[in-house]
Amino acid sequence: MGLLDQLLQFALSGVGIGAIYAIVGLGFMIVYSVTRVVNFAQGEFVMVGGMLTAVLYAAGVPLLLAMAIAVAFAILLGALIQRGIIHPARNASTVTLILLTFGVSIVIRGIALLVWKTDPHSFPAFSGEKSIAIGQAVVSPQAIWVVGTLLVVAVALFLFFDRTMPGKALQACAINPPAARLMGINVETMALVAFGLAAAMGAVAGIVTTPLTTTSYDIGIPMAVKGFVAALVGGLNRIEGVLLGGVVLGILESMAAGLISSGFKDAIALVVLVLVLLLRPGGLLGGAEAGNI
Amino acid sequence: MRTHRKSLLYLFVLGALLMPALLACAPSTGSPGSGEPYKIGFLNSSSGYMAAMGSQERDVVLMLEEKVNKAGGINGRPVKIVYYDDESDESKGVLALKKLISEDKVLAVTGTAASGIAMAEAPVAEEARIPFVTMNSSYSVLLNPAKKWVFKVASSEKFLVGGIYRYLKSKGISSFAWLSQGAGFGREARKYLEETYQKEGFKVVANEEYGPSDTDMKPQLTKIKSTNPQALVVYGAEPAGAIAIRQARELGINVPVLGPPSMTMGAIMNVKELREGMEGAIFVAFKPDMWQQLPDNDPQKKVNEEFDRDMKAKYGANFKGLEWPMGVGYDAFTILINAIKKASPDTSKLEDARAKIRDALEQTKGYIGAFGMLDQSPTEHEGLSWESVVIGEIKVGKYQLVK
């Protein structure tokens, strides 16, 4: 396998991984845009989505139904977090709110540990395991599902924001909350919607990636970190930015692991984070909040 | 005033009735003797990446504690386990050990499945002059400097990597690729590999690492594939290793895949997708996982049979079958109990008692356990015999004994 083939493999693996980071990142973006809160419990939605589906499926529930229940549960969880913790604390500083979400993530993780222990869980890939060859490189069908899901979600999100009233209302809250309020938009309800939406996306990310990586009670942390970096690289407020951020991060990780050493892989996300914050705080594509994080 | 006295009378009668009831509710511990209990410290990982192995070993030790106490304890005195969770973290493990030594003032310590953590804890035990029977594999826990107070029962690199060498030789394979976990256990094995492969006549065409929580090893495997190895060794202990094997197959690496026993733990084998991904892979193995497949004249079969029965009796449906880490827990705890029985120390003189237990441990000879057969001495604190090692293969989703 020549170097070019190896690079192709790294790139393909990177896109697959990056797509997951991007979906998680979109969740961060939605919540941040509407509420200015970086929700560190976002990773736990990913964990809950995958875990619940796996556990229900193992108990005999048909796969699609299990997925639906998992997503519904995640949305409920997101709503609970917003109403029960974020909303009552809404007058606290942003930093406090972020710390609160961090605390929430710890609680969710602790409960997951108690209920599901430390064992990994999984369920079958959607369309089998046989790898697809692209030149000398190999892609697993599930990875294609991941990328496909990302694209569907991204387009759906775009249409939602651009073409529907609730979507536009969310955008209004993101741009100017007082003005939105004056226009009759209930900003608090929008915050609830944002959390629910982000939770759904996190759960979907978890579901589509579990056949590839298995899931366990603690996968929320790395998911949150990588997803956040992806969102940050993309500017935290533009869909295409987050997609770009995720893919860039995924490819960089893959290249680092393949060309340098696997130890660098996790460091990459943090190096990218630092570089972006120092050099282009508004994200690679720039954005309305340049320097405003 | 009459009502006052009447209520007093009622209270008195109530109290008189309650007291026998209270006595009846007292925990029935058979007759463990009236001596002060022998306190044994136990450290392991109940959370974090080593939790699967750690919790298994904990279940075994708790079962044995109950069993020993039900049978009257050691020399008539009950055994008391004091347990701390190291959370799969070295500093937490060291802190917990220190607590056991100086605050809980235990007679001896056992536990710690994670090699990295055990290696951090060993010097602490050595300096505190307390016997520590570890459940980890890496041999270097006993070295640098050679430890007088630390013992181990699990197999070390000599058997794990050596077992892989033996198998490869028996198949005429002389060059292979190596992919190991980049932490304690995997690093120690890699060190052993680098020191011994040339002597053994092997060529290592690729030497890669992955992180214990990684989920994508395709980059490393891609590099490995380009070197055309005759076999692939995936040396790890977490789902990551199983995922690596599956991804190797996905990439089209079709040569024999070998691994250490840590890859066949229940937590991994019970996940259908992981198990299927490892179909056809070969592992250095130990008897607890496949004890039913052992020939009847294998002395370890009976031990495992009784062990299996006892675990089923205590844990019922939660017990999913014996696995080798449980065997390690069994052997570590058992030789410690045997040593305490032999030493019969005076617990009021703590330092003396600890030294006596240490001496008794060094006399563990001809021990036939669930995991291994041990012969220890002042110069050999592991003493596992090659007879304890077998080879297993995952065939049609089941773990089969091969040799």
Side-chain angles (χ1 to χ4, degrees), chain B residues 29 31-33 67-78:
Chain B
T29 46
S31 43
K67 186 173 181 195
V68 166
N69 283 337
K70 264 210 192 104
I74 304 178
N75 301 335
R77 291 168 62 168

Side-chain angles (χ1 to χ4, degrees), chain B residues 19-232:
Chain B
M19 294 224 283
L22 280 173
L23 283 173
C25 289
S28 46
T29 46
S31 43
S34 50
E36 214 188 276
Y38 283 124
K39 278 213 284 202
I40 300 181
F42 179 40
L43 291 164
N44 221 323
S45 315
S46 298
S47 51
Y49 77 91
M50 282 302 288
M53 219 182 276
S55 11
Q56 279 186 352
E57 290 171 359
R58 177 156 185 247
D59 288 342
V60 169
V61 170
L62 291 178
M63 182 277 284
L64 287 174
E65 179 194 14
E66 203 181 279
K67 186 173 181 195
V68 166
N69 283 337
K70 264 210 192 104
I74 304 178
N75 301 335
R77 291 168 62 168
V79 164
K80 179 147 166 57
I81 301 279
V82 181
Y83 175 74
Y84 292 123
D85 176 10
D86 59 28
E87 299 179 36
S88 300
D89 180 276
E90 290 172 16
S91 359
K92 296 214 172 91
V94 169
L95 279 172
L97 179 60
K98 289 193 172 152
K99 201 159 169 222
L100 283 170
I101 296 174
S102 42
E103 277 181 45
D104 298 290
K105 295 203 184 355
V106 295
L107 284 173
V109 184
T110 181
T112 309
S115 291
I117 304 179
M119 292 196 292
E121 292 168 341
V124 175
E126 187 76 5
E127 205 185 300
R129 303 171 65 84
I130 184 170
F132 182 22
V133 184
T134 73
M135 298 177 183
N136 79 303
S137 6
S138 293
Y139 199 78
S140 43
V141 76
L142 298 177
L143 304 172
N144 295 322
K147 304 281 191 302
K148 292 182 63 213
W149 294 83
V150 183
F151 297 77
K152 63 188 295 293
V153 301
S155 60
S156 48
E157 290 76 16
K158 180 169 101 187
F159 298 98
L160 300 179
V161 181
I164 291 178
Y165 286 159
R166 279 193 176 188
Y167 182 83
L168 288 174
K169 280 191 184 147
S170 75
K171 296 287 173 194
I173 295 176
S174 60
S175 87
F176 61 90
W178 171 274
L179 174 65
S180 62
Q181 173 225 60
F185 168 70
R187 285 261 166 84
E188 285 298 305
R190 190 186 197 195
K191 244 182 16 197
Y192 183 84
L193 171 83
E194 287 167 357
E195 285 165 9
T196 55
Y197 78 88
Q198 274 181 330
K199 251 191 307 187
E200 299 284 337
F202 286 104
K203 198 162 158 264
V204 176
V205 295
N207 190 339
E208 299 291 324
E209 273 191 334
Y210 66 85
S213 327
D214 282 359
T215 53
D216 182 35
M217 273 62 71
K218 287 219 178 97
Q220 295 94 316
L221 288 166
T222 306
K223 256 164 79 177
I224 286 175
K225 185 173 176 196
S226 67
T227 63
N228 275 323
Q230 290 179 333
L232 169 63

